[in-house]
Amino acid sequence: MPKNKNNDNQHEILIIDDEASIRKTLSEILSFEGYKISEATDGEEGLKLFSEKTFNAVLCDIKMPKMDGLEFLEKAAVLAPDVPIIMISGHGTIETAVEAVKKGAYDFISKPPDLNRLLITIRNAMEKTSLVAETKVLRKKVSKVQEIVGTSAPIQKIKETINKVAPTEARVLVTGPNGVGKELVARWVHELSNRSNSPLVEVNCAAIPTELIESELFGHEKGSFTSAIKQRIGKFEQANGGTLFLDEIGDMSLNAQAKVLRALQEGKITRVGADKDISVDVRVIAATNKDLLQEVEDKNFRLDLYHRLSVILINVPSLNERKDDIPLLVDQFLDDICKDYGITKKGIDEGAIESLQQYNWTGNIRELRNVVERLVILSGKTITAGDVQNYVAIG
Ligand SMILES: Nc1ncnc2c1ncn2[C@@H]1O[C@H](COP(=O)(O)OP(=O)(O)OP(=O)(O)O)[C@@H](O)[C@H]1O
Ligand SMILES: [Mg+2]
């Protein structure tokens, strides 16, 4: 058997067992095979390590003080459902081990561990994880982010900025009125970044009640407040290694702003009701339709947080300021919508485009898309100026 065969691909394995001799044996065998090993002496310590970094597999004893293997399994499945957990069963816990497999454990090995069986199980588990990861990447490639359509000067500049900024770790603040494409810009910054194979986690700060935002962002421990019946992993932790998109950041309470500031400054968060810090590696992109500096003046937004978020500012102008993009946008939407409806793409004549360019687009690109959808439904094979007049209330 070749020595240290996994060396160039440092897979990390977490071993949780209260028996030092078992940890030592497993750790020696697996280190020799080139795996990187972390050890914990009970489920509680194991879960802490598990929540702090990403492992490729876990070996977990069943009977342990503080938190047993089953409880660990249950909690770990919430934190990272794709990581295979292999139970180590001693005398008298085989039935429990079978039970654990039914509950989602990858497999179990018996004590004392049989070398061959151990290595085969670990190898199979690793293969499974890389398959799951590959499928995710594939799925991502299929569901590509919508192209940013437009050739107007402001759109060209935005695309240039995205290309330059995306591969850096710089925080980005996207501003602009409703429906201009702020979220689309944020998605592209993530897509073209080095984090694109990790998650982009989105939080709409305006949609979450003030009293829940902290738990939404940072998570909570079971029982930390009345409705906290289960431990919850917050968005910052979910986005670990990836990007967190804080949408409508202008609507975040001052209280939550203070905590977000700390997370950005120190790279650490604390779950509500917990006394320990958790390190997170998250790139933040924020968006708002508010004038944040005005909000600062009105004492609704912290200036220090504003500076942290706006390392790079991307302002997306209203559609009225880039009406030369309308023909291309309409063409794209006709394409998308007709495909969605399963019909042949409808045409649109010059006159119709001209009328659309005269419209006052208060709802910006989202409104334009809705209007095109309405026209597709109501018009004949080719959309005419008459259709626009009949079906769109030109303001
Ligand atoms: N340049 C563009 N090309 C193609 N589609 C676009 C473009 N800009 C926006 N869209 C589409 O318009 C819709 C609205 O965009 P998006 O949700 O990004 O806007 P927003 O600024 O975040 O809006 P809100 O302020 O309401 O949250 C989406 O369906 C988006 O895909
Ligand atoms: Mg948005």
Side-chain angles (χ1 to χ4, degrees):
M1 200 180 288
K3 271 189 189 178
N4 300 333
K5 61 193 290 265
N6 296 299
N7 235 357
D8 39 86
N9 193 7
Q10 287 275 299
H11 285 306
E12 296 217 23
I13 299 178
L14 172 62
I15 300 172
I16 314 172
D17 200 308
D18 54 334
E19 264 177 81
S21 60
I22 294 277
R23 286 200 308 276
K24 186 160 175 277
T25 313
L26 292 174
S27 169
E28 273 173 9
I29 296 171
L30 295 172
S31 304
F32 181 78
E33 279 292 303
Y35 294 112
K36 229 175 128 191
I37 307 298
S38 300
E39 292 180 30
T41 55
D42 58 61
E44 212 172 87
E45 197 192 342
L47 195 66
K48 185 172 170 284
L49 291 176
F50 189 83
S51 66
E52 284 166 358
K53 73 171 174 204
T54 312
F55 290 97
N56 299 89
V58 180
L59 287 167
C60 181
D61 189 19
I62 292 178
K63 257 212 221 137
M64 289 181 294
K66 290 195 198 162
M67 183 190 290
D68 68 15
L70 282 187
E71 194 179 343
F72 171 84
L73 174 71
E74 210 173 277
K75 298 205 157 134
V78 177
L79 287 168
D82 294 337
V83 179
I85 297 171
I86 299 156
M87 310 307 288
I88 314 170
S89 89
H91 276 308
T93 53
I94 300 246
E95 265 176 36
T96 322
V98 173
E99 193 59 30
V101 171
K102 282 191 194 147
K103 283 195 169 133
Y106 177 76
D107 202 346
F108 68 88
I109 52 165
S110 315
K111 278 188 206 175
D114 170 276
L115 177 67
N116 280 328
R117 163 109 189 178
L118 171 71
L119 292 180
I120 288 169
T121 310
I122 295 260
R123 237 167 260 150
N124 288 344
M126 296 289 180
E127 258 166 42
K128 180 204 159 206
T129 359
S130 66
L131 255 183
V132 171
E134 267 170 39
T135 320
K136 278 193 175 161
V137 173
L138 273 179
R139 219 178 281 146
K140 249 183 85 112
K141 285 200 177 131
V142 173
S143 67
K144 257 209 142 294
V145 184
Q146 149 87 57
E147 209 57 55
I148 299 180
V149 175
T151 50
S152 61
I155 287 298
Q156 279 184 33
K157 200 171 147 237
I158 287 171
K159 287 188 194 165
E160 264 167 41
T161 311
I162 294 175
N163 285 334
K164 256 191 241 157
V165 165
T168 72
E169 290 285 295
R171 289 184 202 118
V172 180
L173 175 64
V174 191
T175 59
N178 287 329
V180 281
K182 296 185 293 295
E183 181 172 340
L184 197 55
V185 168
R187 291 195 179 279
W188 274 107
V189 173
H190 173 75
E191 188 70 16
L192 299 176
S193 77
N194 303 324
R195 295 169 175 260
S196 65
N197 283 333
S198 297
L200 169 74
V201 175
E202 187 187 336
V203 187
N204 185 339
C205 304
I208 303 160
T210 324
E211 63 278 14
L212 292 183
I213 182 102
E214 231 185 281
S215 134
E216 180 81 16
L217 291 173
F218 306 111
H220 62 240
E221 296 297 342
K222 184 173 164 179
S224 54
F225 51 93
T226 328
S227 57
I229 45 173
K230 254 170 60 175
Q231 185 194 50
R232 171 185 193 151
I233 302 305
K235 301 282 187 186
F236 265 92
E237 274 182 80
Q238 286 174 30
N240 203 4
T243 308
L244 180 65
F245 176 41
L246 296 176
D247 202 2
E248 316 283 4
I249 187 109
D251 291 273
M252 188 182 274
S253 68
L254 282 164
N255 214 352
Q257 286 176 35
K259 305 233 153 96
V260 169
L261 180 70
R262 174 177 175 246
L264 298 187
Q265 276 172 338
E266 298 172 20
K268 279 185 191 145
I269 57 135
T270 317
R271 294 189 193 136
V272 176
D275 43 9
K276 289 217 180 82
D277 292 341
I278 298 171
S279 296
V280 284
D281 163 31
V282 168
R283 180 190 199 180
V284 170
I285 304 175
T288 181
N289 54 22
K290 291 195 171 166
D291 177 350
L292 276 193
L293 285 173
Q294 183 60 48
E295 294 298 311
V296 168
E297 207 159 294
D298 296 344
K299 307 239 176 321
N300 295 323
F301 205 83
R302 296 179 65 119
L303 183 62
D304 44 9
L305 181 58
Y306 174 82
H307 287 309
R308 291 269 166 186
L309 292 171
S310 61
V311 178
I312 304 293
L313 253 178
I314 299 183
N315 181 253
V316 189
S318 69
L319 184 55
N320 287 342
E321 293 165 77
R322 46 179 161 123
K323 285 190 165 166
D324 35 336
D325 283 339
I326 288 180
L328 278 178
L329 283 164
V330 168
D331 185 66
Q332 174 74 47
F333 293 151
L334 279 176
D335 213 75
D336 295 346
I337 293 162
C338 294
K339 261 191 203 127
D340 274 358
Y341 281 86
I343 56 175
T344 348
K345 186 173 171 183
K346 289 196 178 181
I348 183 161
D349 68 22
E350 287 276 307
I353 293 277
E354 272 166 31
S355 318
L356 289 175
Q357 278 177 310
Q358 273 148 37
Y359 188 76
N360 177 26
W361 295 101
T362 49
N364 294 297
I365 305 209
R366 183 174 295 115
E367 187 185 10
L368 176 64
R369 196 180 195 285
N370 290 341
V371 162
V372 173
E373 182 159 6
R374 196 183 317 152
L375 288 168
V376 165
I377 297 169
L378 299 172
S379 311
K381 263 190 183 160
T382 300
I383 299 165
T384 63
D387 293 324
V388 176
Q389 211 148 41
N390 286 337
Y391 306 128
V392 186
I394 301 284

